[in-house]
Structures are given as structure tokens and as C-alpha cells.
Amino acid sequence: MIDFLSEELRLMKEHHLYRSLYLIDGPSEPKTIINGREMLLFSSNNYLGLASHPRVKAAAIAAVKRWGTGSGGSRLTTGNFNLHRQLEKRIARFKGTEDAIIFNTGYMANLGVISALVGREDLVISDQLNHASIVDGCRLSRATVRIYRHNDMLDLARILSDRTSFRRCLIVTDGVFSMDGDIAPLPQLFELAQEHQAILMVDDAHATGVLGDRGAGTVEYFGLEKRGIIQMGTLSKALGSEGGYVAGTSNLIDFLRNRARSFIYSTALSPPVIASAMAALEVLENEPHLKEQLKANVRLFYQGLKDLGFEVLPTQSAIIPLMVGDSCKALALSTALAEMGVFVPAIRPPTVPEGTSRLRITLMATHTRDHIQFALDAFQKAGKKLGLL
Ligand SMILES: *Cc1c(COP(=O)(O)O)cnc(C)c1O
């Protein structure tokens, strides 16, 4: 019975697509212990360093002391603490919407919102490079799913032209694309959505805390507040905590509380998780230099890689994709870097399309110039060794 498992595993290894887990023994900071060895970390989504910011940690500890470690129930039964509601209101204020709802992860938020909004009679139109949680939300909804070419508004318009045979239509996009670091053209998406009476939803997992004057994400970045765009995001990346959210009109949020199954049938997030997300939002507001430092670090690293001669995709986020192509080579580059103490895992299919394996480098506000220089030197040595430069 189990024979197919060893065969599948063997094939994964043969195609350099086998994945194993790294053991991390310290916080998600520029310098941490990975697989028993001190390394410089250049692949964390803890973009602003808030996961170990003293005020954020203190808030989590204080929450455990006052409310304990678990919520003890789902939000609609016994797990709805004052804390949860406060955080939802805080997120709504941050995003400039009437209300917000928290889910246990960003993954669950996408599953919940998409499957609640559309069903068998509806159409979802999704960018080719959208995150897997959006893909899964689309599948779960049982709606007809059409994929448009990445950020290609002509292709989207073409698909929208037969939208009329469907009851409702939802257009969904990553705000910042998680493996490419580029931004969705939200103003054009909004116009097309208006024109075809479609709902527009943006996943700001990688834009929150990074883009916009206050770090509120792509809607703020493009000045599209008050347009009724559904803003989904996570508390788990720049905000250094855990959980997902959807921000929008009161009606939308009320509807999701009643219909989003991933919200209804799961235990509410624990008090320290909620308290740390709340504290992270305060830090984001009070320490705008963190966002600026992140930007400066991204510029420095990007320019450094370009000067060395690597193929890097242009970025306005904290993500720098260094394109390798072949998954075996991408893996070899990642291994060579790890041997020099720089940690950047290779991203391979099915996470990215065939032939576009890459190193997904991310910067943190807490990286120093020395960290960056050390990593660039390692990239140069590894690149030369592998014939990439
Ligand atoms: C990480 C991510 C998610 C999932 O969020 P989690 O909180 O990690 O579950 C959703 N969408 C995008 C674009 C992401 O990058």
C-alpha cells in the first residue's frame, strides 16, 4: 500500500524538488542559529524585526499573565475576548475601512473569504502568480476559476468580457507578489472591476508594514481608500505575530462572521498572539524609521547584486528575487551560501513556475551594513564558483 510513497519521494529527490525542514534555534533575526550553526538570515518575512521587538514581546508576556495562553473556544462560542475585538477595530482604523475580521492565519483568511463570497454560479478571476492560499480558496469555493497572465490587464479585460453569464464576479490579486516582489496595478484593476461590476480583493500579506506612507499596504500606496476594495492581509509577516485578517465594509465583515467557515470552525487565536499584533501596529505607527531602514537595506542589497552581475528582478517591496532558472543550480547556490553562513533557501516548483527557480532574498530593517556586505561577498564567491557570474 505504501510503496507509492517511497517512489514519489525518490522522484522528488531525483528532480531536485525534495524539501526538508531546517531547524532554527533562535528568533527570526538577522543573526540566528540554523541547523546548529550561526548564520545570517536573508529570507525571513519578519521585515521590520517586530517579532522580537522589546515592546511587542512585552505585550505578549503581559497578555499571557492576564488572559492565559489559549482562548478556549471559537470566536462565535467562548473564544471571543475583548482583545480580539480591539484588534479588529485597530486593523480597520489602520486600513481605513469600516470594520475588520481576524482569522487564525492568512491562509485561512483567503480560504474563508473567497469561499464565502462566491459559489457555483460565480466567477473568480485570479492572477497567474497569486499565492497558494488564494488558489485553494478559489478551489474550495466551487466557482468557475479563470487565470489571467501575471499583471496583464488586457488579458483580465478579455476574461471579464464574458463575465455576464455569471451571477457574481470576484477579481483577486496579491498586492505584492510573494515570490516576485512586484506590485499589482491596483488602480487599473479597480477600474476594470468597476466597469464590469466585479468585486476586487487584494492580498496584502507582503505589503502590510512595507508599502504606503503608514505601511498600510497597496491600497494606501495607490491612494485608493474608500473604494470598497476588500483588503486581506496577515499579521504574520511585517507585524511579527500570527493570524490573517480581512478589512472592508461593516456588511462584508458581518457576512464573513456568519459565513466564513475557516473563521467559524476554528479556535480563536491565543491572547499573546493578539496582544503582540496590537503592539506591533503601535510600533509601526510610532517608529516610522523602521520602514525607511528596510527600504534603504533593500536598495543597498539590490544594487549590490546587480553590480555583481546577478539577474535580479526589480522590486519595490522587501523581496528580491535572484533568478537562477534551473532548480538544481538554485539549490547549489543556496547550499554554497549556507556553507559561508548565509541562509537563503532556493524556491522551486511548484511554488514558482517550471524553469524559474530562484533565491528569494528578503531584507529586514534590522540588517546592518556589515551583514549586507558579508552576504554580498558570499553571493559573489558562490556565483563565481557555480559559473553564474
Ligand atoms: C504568507 C502569505 C499568505 C498566508 O499567510 P499566513 O499568515 O502565513 O497563513 C497569504 N497570502 C500571501 C500572498 C502570502 O505571502
Side-chain angles (χ1 to χ4, degrees):
M1 192 291 248
I2 311 283
D3 280 356
F4 81 95
L5 295 175
S6 26
E7 178 58 11
E8 291 282 337
L9 285 164
R10 191 188 63 75
L11 282 173
M12 284 180 221
K13 286 178 187 163
E14 191 177 300
H15 295 124
H16 307 286
L17 297 176
Y18 177 78
R19 302 160 186 228
S20 50
L21 296 165
Y22 304 99
L23 275 180
I24 304 192
D25 197 11
S28 192
E29 286 172 359
K31 219 179 236 185
T32 194
I33 312 281
I34 303 177
N35 285 351
R37 167 165 179 206
E38 188 174 89
M39 291 224 207
L40 286 181
L41 176 61
F42 277 90
S43 44
S44 171
N45 297 325
N46 178 25
Y47 299 131
L48 300 173
L50 299 187
S52 50
H53 189 288
R55 280 184 51 196
V56 177
K57 289 203 287 191
I61 293 163
V64 170
K65 288 188 176 153
R66 170 147 180 217
W67 284 283
T69 53
S71 67
S74 67
R75 292 286 301 284
L76 289 171
T77 58
T78 58
N80 188 42
F81 292 18
N82 279 339
L83 275 177
H84 295 90
R85 193 55 197 138
Q86 270 174 40
L87 178 60
E88 287 175 338
K89 288 186 176 155
R90 183 71 183 78
I91 290 170
R93 180 150 70 80
F94 176 54
K95 294 280 172 176
T97 58
E98 288 173 5
D99 205 351
I101 177 172
I102 324 167
F103 291 79
N104 289 359
T105 64
Y107 184 91
M108 288 169 74
N110 276 332
L111 251 51
V113 67
I114 299 172
S115 63
L117 286 176
V118 288
R120 285 184 200 282
E121 299 137 90
D122 305 318
L123 173 67
V124 193
I125 316 181
S126 173
D127 187 288
Q128 174 193 8
L129 297 187
N130 277 346
H131 190 261
S133 54
I134 294 179
V135 175
D136 292 359
C138 292
R139 287 177 182 158
L140 191 64
S141 75
R142 299 187 175 92
T144 300
V145 182
R146 303 253 159 87
I147 309 294
Y148 61 97
R149 280 194 298 271
H150 177 51
N151 277 349
D152 184 337
M153 295 300 101
L154 286 177
D155 201 33
L156 173 60
R158 179 185 64 76
I159 296 170
L160 276 166
S161 62
D162 24 274
R163 172 249 182 280
T164 41
S165 48
F166 296 93
R167 180 183 61 169
R168 289 198 282 265
C169 172
L170 171 70
I171 303 170
V172 56
T173 182
D174 278 17
V176 164
F177 286 85
S178 52
M179 296 301 141
D180 291 61
D182 56 342
I183 304 179
L186 219 48
Q188 290 90 319
L189 282 159
F190 177 71
E191 260 178 43
L192 282 171
Q194 286 283 95
E195 193 182 318
H196 296 272
Q197 283 152 34
I199 309 164
L200 176 60
M201 166 176 162
V202 62
D203 174 341
D204 262 349
H206 295 281
T208 301
V210 177
L211 288 184
D213 286 344
R214 294 177 304 116
T218 47
V219 168
E220 185 192 24
Y221 177 80
F222 286 113
L224 294 171
E225 294 93 344
K226 311 280 172 225
R227 301 292 166 88
I229 299 172
I230 299 176
Q231 301 181 60
M232 174 272 164
T234 69
L235 305 169
S236 58
K237 284 161 184 163
L239 296 175
S241 180
E242 193 176 41
Y245 59 82
V246 175
T249 61
S250 307
N251 273 346
L252 170 74
I253 303 310
D254 215 12
F255 178 79
L256 292 176
R257 274 189 212 115
N258 285 279
R259 283 289 172 78
R261 293 170 62 87
S262 60
F263 171 82
I264 301 169
Y265 297 106
S266 193
T267 299
L269 283 170
S270 69
V273 163
I274 299 290
S276 55
M278 185 92 86
L281 284 166
E282 296 301 323
V283 173
L284 180 63
E285 192 171 45
N286 297 329
E287 302 187 31
H289 67 270
L290 289 173
K291 212 159 58 68
E292 294 313 311
Q293 190 56 50
L294 172 64
K295 238 192 241 172
N297 284 349
V298 172
R299 268 198 303 269
L300 194 63
F301 208 104
Y302 178 82
Q303 199 53 49
L305 287 171
K306 248 188 125 60
D307 291 347
L308 288 174
F310 280 107
E311 188 193 342
V312 277
L313 300 184
T315 184
Q316 280 144 298
S317 62
I319 302 161
I320 305 176
L322 187 159
M323 304 308 284
V324 180
D326 176 60
S327 50
C328 180
K329 264 199 183 148
L331 209 53
L333 179 58
S334 168
T335 306
L337 288 167
E339 279 163 8
M340 289 182 269
V342 175
F343 188 74
V344 190
I347 308 287
R348 295 162 282 160
T351 308
V352 292
E354 207 60 55
T356 70
S357 286
R358 66 198 67 184
L359 264 60
R360 176 184 180 272
I361 301 156
T362 60
L363 273 293
M364 294 190 254
T366 43
H367 281 121
T368 64
R369 282 179 163 262
D370 285 350
H371 295 146
I372 290 173
Q373 196 50 57
F374 185 92
L376 285 171
D377 290 343
F379 269 92
Q380 182 173 30
K381 281 180 208 144
K384 283 199 172 136
K385 182 176 141 194
L386 298 168
L388 296 167
L389 292 178

